[in-house]
Amino acid sequence: PDEVARTEDGGFTSTSTGGFSQLDTQLTGLVGDGDVLVMSGLGLTSGAGSMWLSEDAGDSFVGLELAGYESDTLLGLGGRTLWLMADTQLVALDLDTGGELDSIPLAEALESYAVEPSGALWWSTSGGTVSRVEPASGERSDYDLAGSSILFTDGAAWIGLRAQLPGDPLVVRM
């Protein structure tokens, strides 16, 4: 559907020129930044992936055209930058244009990630690396840390570490 609206009971329904119809979609993801939300779903009948954008805290959604990425996994949203996992690549998309800002191939499994309000992405891999990329500039930093979890809050990234020995630090602030 091109538009999705919230019903009084908190559910979702698709809208059309003829009125409302049942939303034939299994919701697969939801990310947000303030009042801006992106929702993804998989059509139960068609099997096709779709994504929708809300700029009013989820009261209404409109369909997103994302250059063929509609079936990929939502990771996070920072500002107007949407991060997805497409096969083995991290992909940053511009919500205003639907265009690709950055694409980063991963040679190792993604373990954790967090998106800054600026749209920058922090992530860790199974190989023991924590990285940060700013999609607007392409600036990237890699750190030799065995990060197992990442949280971005109050202007800092907090990295949960895999302890190797007793007494090893468990969290580092960056």
Side-chain angles (χ1 to χ4, degrees):
D2 292 330
E3 295 187 32
V4 177
R6 191 173 356 186
T7 59
E8 288 182 17
D9 64 0
F12 291 96
T13 186
S14 62
T15 59
S16 65
T17 56
F20 290 96
S21 63
Q22 182 178 357
L23 182 60
D24 179 33
T25 302
Q26 175 185 352
L27 300 182
T28 57
L30 179 67
V31 296
D33 184 13
D35 286 346
V36 179
L37 303 172
V38 175
M39 179 172 65
S40 63
L42 187 62
L44 297 175
T45 306
S46 69
S50 298
M51 289 193 191
W52 301 275
L53 171 69
S54 171
E55 300 196 66
D56 58 9
D59 286 334
S60 62
F61 288 81
V62 295
L64 272 177
E65 297 294 327
L66 295 174
Y69 289 107
E70 289 81 9
S71 295
D72 294 311
T73 303
L74 295 173
L75 295 182
L77 179 65
R80 304 297 291 176
T81 302
L82 176 65
W83 282 94
L84 308 170
M85 186 71 180
D87 296 319
T88 59
Q89 295 205 52
L90 300 169
V91 178
L93 300 174
D94 182 313
L95 276 185
D96 294 320
T97 66
E100 186 177 300
L101 297 171
D102 205 347
S103 179
I104 303 163
L106 295 180
E108 300 159 329
L110 179 68
E111 288 210 349
S112 186
Y113 52 87
V115 180
E116 295 181 18
S118 68
L121 177 72
W122 288 84
W123 75 95
S124 64
T125 64
S126 59
T129 301
V130 171
S131 301
R132 179 190 182 274
V133 67
E134 178 65 54
S137 66
E139 182 181 330
R140 179 173 168 176
S141 302
D142 296 309
Y143 305 94
D144 187 22
L145 293 171
S148 60
S149 58
I150 301 174
L151 169 69
F152 190 87
T153 187
D154 296 327
W158 293 83
I159 315 295
L161 303 174
R162 290 188 293 269
Q164 303 297 318
L165 300 170
D168 281 356
L170 297 178
V171 177
V172 63
R173 180 176 190 236
M174 312 224 11

